[in-house]
Amino acid sequence: MERAESAVSSTATDGDDETRRPEGPPATMRERREELTPMLSQYLELCEAHPDAIVLFQVGDFYEAFCEAAETVARVCEVTLTQREDSTGTYPMAGIPIDNAASYLEALLDADYRVAIADQVEDAEEASGLVDRAVTNVVSPGTVVDDELLDRASATYLGAIVEAEPTDEGRGASQAAALATLDVSTGECQVTSAPTDRIREELERLAPAELLVGPDAAVETATLGFETMVTERDPTTFELATAEETLASYVAAPAAVLEAPIERRAVGALLRYAEYTQGDDGALSYVSRIRRYDLRRSLRLDATAMRGLELFESRHPGGGETLLDAVDRTSSALGRRRIEAWLRRPLVDAEAIERRHDAVGELLDRPLARETVSEYLREVYDLERLAARISRERANARDLRSLQTTLGVVPEIKAALEEAESAALRDLRGELDELEDVRDLIERAIVSDPPQEITEGGVIRGGFDDELDDLRATEREGREWVSDLEARERERTGIDSLAVGYNQVHGYYIEVTNPNLDAVPDDYTRRQTLKNAERFYTPELKRREDEILSAAERADSLEYDVFCSVRARVAEATERLQSLADALARLDALSSFAAVAAGSDYVRPEMGADTLRIDAGRHPVVERTQAEFVPNGIDFTPGHVAVITGPNMSGKSTYMRQVALICLLAQAGSFVPADAAELPVLDRIFTRVGASDDIAGGQSTFMREMSELTEILHDATEESLVLLDEVGRGTSTTDGLAIAKATTEFIHDEVGATTLFATHYHDLTDLAADLPAAFNLHFTVSKSEDGSASGKTAAENGTVGDADGGNADDSNSDVTFLHRVADGPSSSSYGVEVAKLAGVPDTVVERAHDYIRAGSGGEKADSSSDGAKSEDANVDRDSEPPDGSSTDRGDTLAAYVDGIEDSDGYDGVSEEDLSDAERAVLAELRDLDVARTTPLEALNTLEELRRKLDE
C-alpha cells in the first residue's frame, strides 16, 4: 500500500549542515487547481501525495516534471527547460528520456533529491480518456534497486535509528538506541541495540546511504563522518504498535524474533518506509530473514580506525589501493560484498576464527580444487539481487536464464569440494542447494536466448504450454499461407509484378501496379490507393489476417501470463536462493583469502596466544606498491607499551598500521603477510594517526586529536590494540610533551592496552626506565662519511647529504633510512635532513643547523619535537643566551616556576613579586592532587589556569 507520510530529507556530511528541502506540490498549479487540464490535475495529485520527492511523470517516451520541479530537473540533469502552454497558462517543463533515465536519476540522487517515478499503468491505446498513472517507485539513495544505480561491489544500506523510551521494557530495554539496516536490493535486514556511542560507531562503520530518524534522534546526525541522506519520519512511524503491525507481514511472531521493543520499532519503521518507496504493491516479500546481531561479537572498528588504516578508502589525494583491494581476489559480486563485510566486522570468537583459517588452509593446500571453485564462481551472477528482482516481479526472461546458468555450476562446485576435510568447507558443501526443480523449470520454460522485453513474445520455449503452442501454430500456419499467396496469385492472375505485403495500419494486402489493373480478378477488393499502384485484399486473405493477428495477440498475452507464472513459481524458492547465495558468498571470500595467501606468501597465524609476535611482518598494501619492502617484526606481551622513535620517512606509521592490519586480517579469517605470527584476539583497534581538522564543527587539528585521544583513554581495554602517532602536536612543546607522557603513563597504569606510540618527543623514551611494561623501539639509519651512499641520489634511496647532519660533528655524513626496526631509542629524528630531502632551499637548511648548533649540544635541542608546533618563543631553559645576558622567561609566574626548578638556583623572581591573580593560580597548582587526576581532567585544569592568567 502506498503511504504518503511526511518526510523531510537533508544531507549530513563532514561539517556540512546544508539541508535539501523537498520540492513539494507546484505552487503555480495549486493556485490554478480548478483550471488545470486533466493531465496536470493528475500530476498535481501525485505531487501532493509525495511532497518529499520530485515527481517524474511519464508522458509517452519521456518522464516530465513541471513548474518548480522542472527548473530543478533542468539544472541538475543539464537538460533544456521548455514550456507547456494550454488554456490555463504557461508552465515550465523539463523531461528526461525513459530509455536513458538511470543516468539522470543518478544525478538527482547525487544532488540529494528523492524521486517519485509515476508510470503509465494502462495502455494508452486502450485508455478511454486520460491514461492512468501511478507512482511505481520512489527512488532515494538508500532504496535504489536498479543495477545501473547500484555499486556492484558494495552493499547499499537504508538505516533507521531509534532512541529508547520508558515504555520499552524487556530484553534490550537498558540499551539507549537501536539501529536497523536494510539492503533493499538483496533483502538483507539486520538490527542491533546498544548504548548511543556504540550505535553511532556502528552507524559510521556501515555508512548507510540514507538514514531514517525520528524527531528526537539518539545520534546527532549533523556530525556524522560520512555522507548520507537524513530523512525525518513522522513520530507514529516509530511507535511500537505501528512497527509490530508492519512486522507481522514478515514474521509470524515479531516479539519472538526480536525480544527488545526498541529493535522492533527500528525494524518496523525501516520496513514501512521501504514499502512506501516500492509503489502501490510495496513488494518486499523477499525480506524473509530479519537478523539480530550483538556488537560485542565482532572486533570494534570506528570510522577513525577505518580511515586511519585505509580499509576501504585511500587517504592519498590521487587515490590508491586499500586493504580491501589488497585481499580481494573474489570471482563474484557476492564474494566481493562478503569479504568487505568480514573486514568491517572481524570476529572475536577464537573458535570461529580458527574455523575460517582451517578452510583457507585447506584451499591453500589444494590449489586444483581452489582454482576449480574460483573458475565456476566466475559464472555465478549476483544471486542475492537476482532473487530480490524475481521476488519483486521486476525480473525479465534474461534474468531467469542468468539464474539458470548460476544454478548450473552449483553441482560442479560441490564436486570440487567433495573431499573437503575442514568443518567450514564441509558445511558449505552441504548448504549448496542445487535447486534442481527451479533449474529444470527455467530450462523447460525459457528459450536459451530470450529478448529483453517480456511482452512481445519469443520468451517461452515450445512444448511448455499446449495452449500457447496451438496459438503459435495457428499464427505460424497463417503466415506460411500468406507467404505462399504471392506465388499462387501471380500464377492465377498472370501479373508478374504482383506483391503481397503487410503494414500495421492496413494489415495484409495484395499490391498491383497501375499498368496491370485490367488483370485484377473480380474477387479482389480495393484496400488502398497509391500513386503508382493499388492495394487489394480477398475474402480468404482477410480471414487469414484476422486469424493470424488474433492468434498473435492472444499468444503474446498468454505468453506474458505464462512467463509471470514461471517467475512466480521461481519466487517461491526465494529463501532457498538466498541461502545458496550466502553459501556461495562465503565460499568465494574464503577462496579469495586462500588465493591471496598463495600469491603473496601469507601464513596462518596462531590465534589466542599470550604474546603478540610477528616475524618479518609486511604491510599488505604498501608491499604491493613498493618493489623492495623491508619486513619488520614485533615481539612483546599484550598490555605493554612500545615507544617508537626514528626519523620522518623511516616507516614508523607504516609499521604501526602493519601490525594493526595483520591482527585485523587474522580475525577476519585471512592468513597474514609475515613469516610467522602469534596473535591475541583483540576486542578493538584504536588509531590516533594523521592530522585533520573540523573547522566547520568547531574543532582545530589539536582539538580533533584530543577528542580522538579522549575516546581511546575512556574506551580501551586490556584486550585492545592502540596506535598513537605523534600525540601532542599542535600545541607548545612543553604542553605536548606533558600530554604525551601523561597519556603513556595512563595507558600503562590504568588501561593496560597493547600500545604502539610513535613520537618525536625523545624525552618520552625515558619512561621505559620507569614503567615496567614499557620499552623502546627505533627505526635505524645508516651514515656514510664520504657522502657516497650506494651511488644513487638522495631521493632515490632515501639518503640525505647534509653539511652538518643531525649533529654538529656530522658535517660530512649522508643519512640513509633503512626502514628497519630495532630495540632501544633513536639518537635523532633527522628533521633537517628530511627537510633537505623534500627540497627545502639550502639557505633554510643551513640556517636550521645554525639554530641547532646554537642550542645545548645539538642533539639536546632535538630531544623536544622537531615536528611540534611551539606557541612561545622561549629557548631551551638549560641553554645560555649567546651574549651572556639573562634569558627572557616570559611572564613572571613562568619565571618564578623556572626558578624553583633551576638546580643552580634562580633569584630573579620571588613569590612576593607575583600578582594576586598569579598567586591564586599558583595556589591552585599546589592544591592539585596529581595522583587522582585523569589526563583529560589535567588538560582541562591547565586550560582553565591559562585562561585565568590571560585575563
Side-chain angles (χ1 to χ4, degrees):
M1 174 177 134
E2 183 179 308
R3 297 181 175 93
E5 300 168 79
S6 63
V8 177
S9 65
S10 64
T11 299
T13 58
D14 293 319
D16 180 10
D17 58 359
E18 177 185 353
T19 299
R20 181 75 70 188
R21 296 296 176 185
E23 293 297 302
T28 308
M29 288 187 178
R30 291 201 309 273
E31 295 167 359
R32 301 181 179 180
R33 178 184 292 274
E34 301 302 325
E35 304 173 4
L36 295 178
T37 63
M39 189 184 80
L40 290 182
S41 293
Q42 188 183 60
Y43 175 75
L44 178 59
E45 289 175 2
L46 293 173
C47 288
E48 290 177 334
H50 298 81
D52 59 335
I54 292 177
V55 174
L56 292 182
F57 188 79
Q58 184 181 0
V59 181
D61 294 333
F62 282 79
Y63 286 129
E64 302 285 358
F66 301 94
C67 299
E68 295 90 337
E71 296 171 356
T72 298
V73 170
R75 183 184 71 255
V76 175
C77 299
E78 298 182 352
V79 296
T80 302
L81 182 67
T82 60
Q83 292 183 335
R84 175 183 175 84
E85 296 183 11
D86 58 30
S87 59
T88 66
T90 302
Y91 306 95
M93 182 174 72
I96 61 175
I98 292 177
D99 289 343
N100 191 30
S103 60
Y104 298 103
L105 288 175
E106 185 174 17
L108 289 168
L109 293 177
D110 287 345
D112 306 318
Y113 287 101
R114 185 181 287 101
V115 182
I117 305 296
D119 286 309
Q120 296 176 180
V121 292
E122 66 174 330
D123 193 326
E125 295 182 359
E126 298 178 357
S128 58
L130 182 66
V131 178
D132 191 21
R133 295 174 177 85
V135 171
T136 58
N137 189 20
V138 177
V139 184
S140 64
T143 62
V144 291
V145 293
D146 191 325
D147 280 350
E148 295 181 70
L149 299 175
L150 288 167
D151 183 348
R152 172 181 176 274
S154 299
T156 298
Y157 288 119
L158 170 70
I161 190 167
V162 174
E163 188 173 14
E165 294 180 348
T167 55
D168 291 335
E169 300 177 352
R171 177 181 161 186
S174 61
Q175 305 296 4
L179 172 66
T181 56
L182 170 67
D183 184 341
V184 181
S185 71
T186 66
E188 175 196 350
C189 185
Q190 52 189 359
V191 64
T192 189
S193 57
T196 302
D197 62 330
R198 292 296 306 273
I199 290 298
R200 179 191 176 92
E201 183 181 297
E202 181 68 2
L203 191 60
E204 293 191 328
R205 173 157 59 173
L206 295 177
E210 184 176 2
L211 182 63
L212 311 180
V213 298
D216 300 317
V219 172
E220 181 57 52
T221 54
T223 62
L224 291 175
F226 62 95
E227 293 187 1
T228 184
M229 173 182 278
V230 177
T231 300
E232 292 184 7
R233 301 294 288 162
D234 189 291
T236 59
T237 304
F238 297 95
E239 291 178 355
L240 184 59
T242 305
E244 290 183 336
E245 179 185 351
T246 303
L247 277 170
S249 302
Y250 298 88
V251 292
V257 177
L258 300 173
E259 294 181 22
I262 189 174
E263 294 175 353
R264 297 203 294 277
R265 290 170 51 213
V267 177
L270 183 78
L271 293 173
R272 190 174 181 85
Y273 176 77
E275 289 175 350
Y276 157 68
T277 66
Q278 297 307 302
D280 286 339
D281 56 5
L284 290 173
S285 58
Y286 57 99
V287 183
S288 56
R289 292 178 293 184
I290 300 171
R291 184 174 68 88
R292 184 192 182 278
Y293 65 101
D294 190 335
L295 291 175
R296 294 170 298 181
R297 296 184 179 178
S298 61
L299 175 68
R300 290 179 63 183
L301 289 167
D302 59 17
T304 300
M306 289 193 295
R307 286 193 297 268
L309 297 176
E310 298 181 285
L311 302 187
F312 312 109
E313 184 177 353
S314 174
R315 292 156 58 97
H316 299 286
E321 283 204 353
T322 64
L323 178 66
L324 178 59
D325 296 327
V327 298
D328 176 26
R329 299 293 183 278
T330 54
S331 301
S332 68
L334 295 171
R336 166 81 179 194
R337 292 198 297 271
R338 182 55 54 91
I339 211 167
E340 178 180 344
W342 284 0
L343 292 178
R344 286 188 186 276
R345 198 176 288 148
L347 301 169
V348 293
D349 184 311
E351 184 177 342
I353 296 171
E354 295 287 0
R355 180 182 171 88
R356 285 186 190 173
H357 286 169
D358 288 342
V360 172
E362 182 172 352
L363 290 169
L364 176 63
D365 294 338
R366 297 179 58 199
L368 181 59
R370 183 181 73 247
E371 290 298 329
T372 301
V373 166
S374 296
E375 180 181 349
Y376 283 115
L377 284 171
R378 292 187 189 99
E379 299 181 38
V380 170
Y381 287 83
D382 197 337
L383 191 54
E384 287 178 320
R385 290 176 177 171
L386 203 54
R389 282 205 302 276
I390 292 170
S391 180
R392 290 197 312 271
E393 300 182 357
R394 303 285 179 89
N396 59 28
R398 292 185 180 181
D399 289 328
L400 294 190
R401 288 303 303 191
S402 296
L403 173 59
Q404 197 272 342
T405 299
T406 297
L407 297 179
V409 303
V410 174
E412 304 298 337
I413 295 174
K414 290 185 70 173
L417 297 176
E418 187 172 2
E419 299 179 3
E421 297 180 357
S422 65
L425 292 182
R426 287 201 311 270
D427 290 347
L428 274 174
R429 187 178 186 279
E431 295 173 34
L432 293 177
D433 185 352
E434 298 182 21
L435 282 91
E436 294 182 15
D437 52 335
V438 175
R439 190 174 77 232
D440 177 66
L441 172 63
I442 298 173
E443 179 63 30
R444 289 186 297 106
I446 309 299
V447 298
S448 59
D449 187 19
Q452 183 73 31
E453 297 297 327
I454 57 176
T455 58
E456 300 176 1
V459 169
I460 301 300
R461 191 186 291 274
F464 182 75
D465 185 276
D466 292 341
E467 182 181 357
L468 180 60
D469 288 345
D470 290 342
L471 290 172
R472 290 300 186 205
T474 300
E475 178 188 3
R476 185 172 56 255
E477 290 171 3
R479 294 188 188 280
E480 290 174 354
W481 182 90
V482 170
S483 66
D484 294 338
L485 178 63
E486 184 174 298
R488 293 197 304 271
E489 288 302 300
R490 283 184 178 183
E491 182 178 353
R492 180 166 79 93
T493 62
I495 303 173
D496 292 337
S497 61
L498 180 148
V500 175
Y502 173 83
N503 65 42
Q504 291 185 338
V505 177
H506 296 95
Y508 287 102
Y509 58 81
I510 300 172
E511 184 174 295
V512 179
T513 57
N514 290 341
N516 297 300
L517 292 178
D518 292 342
V520 170
D522 294 338
D523 59 343
Y524 277 27
T525 300
R526 182 175 283 103
R527 167 161 275 177
Q528 183 183 12
T529 299
L530 303 179
K531 180 178 180 180
N532 299 314
E534 294 280 349
R535 289 176 175 175
F536 304 88
Y537 67 90
T538 65
E540 181 63 14
L541 178 59
K542 179 59 177 173
R543 186 183 69 80
R544 291 284 187 171
E545 176 186 315
D546 292 342
E547 188 178 86
I548 292 169
L549 296 181
S550 175
E553 183 178 348
R554 290 165 57 200
D556 287 348
S557 177
L558 177 60
E559 186 164 342
Y560 176 75
D561 291 341
V562 171
F563 171 79
C564 290
S565 174
V566 171
R567 185 174 60 189
R569 289 168 61 184
V570 174
E572 293 173 359
T574 296
E575 287 193 51
R576 294 169 62 195
L577 291 172
Q578 290 173 331
S579 296
L580 174 61
D582 178 64
L584 291 173
R586 283 182 282 139
L587 178 60
D588 199 1
L590 292 170
S591 298
S592 176
F593 282 157
V596 172
S600 301
D601 295 325
Y602 284 19
V603 299
R604 177 172 182 164
E606 179 182 329
M607 300 303 300
D610 57 2
T611 184
L612 198 164
R613 183 180 66 82
I614 300 172
D615 294 344
R618 311 184 306 277
H619 192 293
V621 178
V622 177
E623 74 165 342
R624 287 162 53 87
T625 59
Q626 291 188 359
E628 297 182 4
F629 183 86
V630 179
N632 278 299
I634 193 168
D635 187 358
F636 68 99
T637 303
H640 280 50
V641 178
V643 178
I644 307 171
T645 51
N648 285 299
M649 296 179 58
S650 60
K652 298 189 299 296
S653 295
T654 297
Y655 174 68
M656 292 198 304
R657 290 184 176 96
Q658 166 184 310
V659 173
L661 290 176
I662 286 174
C663 293
L664 187 151
L665 280 175
Q667 291 186 217
S670 172
F671 284 13
V672 298
D675 287 352
E678 296 179 47
L679 306 173
V681 176
L682 304 174
D683 65 352
R684 183 167 180 179
I685 295 176
F686 292 90
T687 63
R688 160 72 291 282
V689 296
S692 62
D693 57 27
D694 181 10
I695 301 302
Q699 289 189 325
S700 65
T701 300
F702 181 67
M703 188 62 182
R704 184 76 173 261
E705 177 183 315
M706 291 298 100
S707 297
E708 293 175 1
L709 180 61
T710 298
E711 182 179 0
I712 293 172
L713 298 182
H714 278 296
D715 292 350
T717 72
E718 293 180 355
E719 297 176 346
S720 301
L721 174 64
V722 175
L723 308 185
L724 299 176
D725 190 3
E726 299 299 348
V727 168
R729 295 180 303 181
T731 186
S732 68
T733 301
T734 302
D735 287 358
L737 178 57
I739 293 169
K741 283 186 174 181
T743 296
T744 305
E745 291 171 348
F746 185 82
I747 291 176
H748 180 279
D749 297 336
E750 304 293 335
V751 178
T754 302
T755 305
L756 302 179
F757 193 157
T759 183
H760 282 293
Y761 290 127
H762 285 248
D763 288 354
L764 206 61
T765 61
D766 296 339
L767 290 176
D770 302 327
L771 305 177
F775 63 100
N776 291 314
L777 295 174
H778 74 280
F779 274 79
T780 57
V781 298
S782 175
K783 296 179 181 179
S784 173
E785 298 301 327
D786 60 5
S788 59
S790 72
K792 294 183 180 180
T793 67
E796 287 175 330
N797 66 1
T799 304
V800 179
D802 181 56
D804 296 296
N807 301 303
D809 59 349
D810 289 337
S811 58
N812 296 317
S813 67
D814 282 356
V815 176
T816 302
F817 303 134
L818 301 179
H819 307 295
R820 191 173 300 283
V821 71
D823 291 332
S826 173
S827 61
S828 174
S829 288
Y830 298 97
V832 178
E833 286 81 352
V834 174
K836 183 171 183 178
L837 180 62
V840 172
D842 289 342
T843 303
V844 176
V845 173
E846 291 299 327
R847 187 58 176 157
H849 282 302
D850 289 342
Y851 279 117
I852 290 177
R853 284 189 290 269
S856 57
E859 193 54 33
K860 179 72 174 178
D862 186 65
S863 66
S864 63
S865 171
D866 55 63
K869 174 184 175 183
S870 177
E871 293 182 351
D872 56 48
N874 298 343
V875 298
D876 186 24
R877 73 169 60 131
D878 293 330
S879 63
E880 294 296 329
D883 60 1
S885 61
S886 64
T887 303
D888 179 8
R889 294 183 177 270
D891 59 53
T892 353
L893 179 60
Y896 173 74
V897 174
D898 279 351
I900 295 173
E901 295 180 354
D902 195 328
S903 59
D904 296 330
Y906 179 76
D907 57 2
V909 177
S910 66
E911 185 167 349
E912 287 72 23
D913 295 323
L914 304 179
S915 67
D916 291 342
E918 290 174 328
R919 280 196 293 272
V921 168
L922 188 60
E924 286 191 49
L925 281 172
R926 286 182 175 134
D927 293 340
L928 184 65
D929 188 351
V930 177
R932 297 178 181 272
T933 304
T934 68
L936 182 59
E937 290 170 342
L939 288 174
N940 291 333
T941 301
L942 285 172
E943 178 60 28
E944 178 64 17
L945 295 176
R946 177 185 293 228
R947 184 187 62 77
K948 289 180 179 179
L949 287 174
D950 290 341
E951 292 174 352

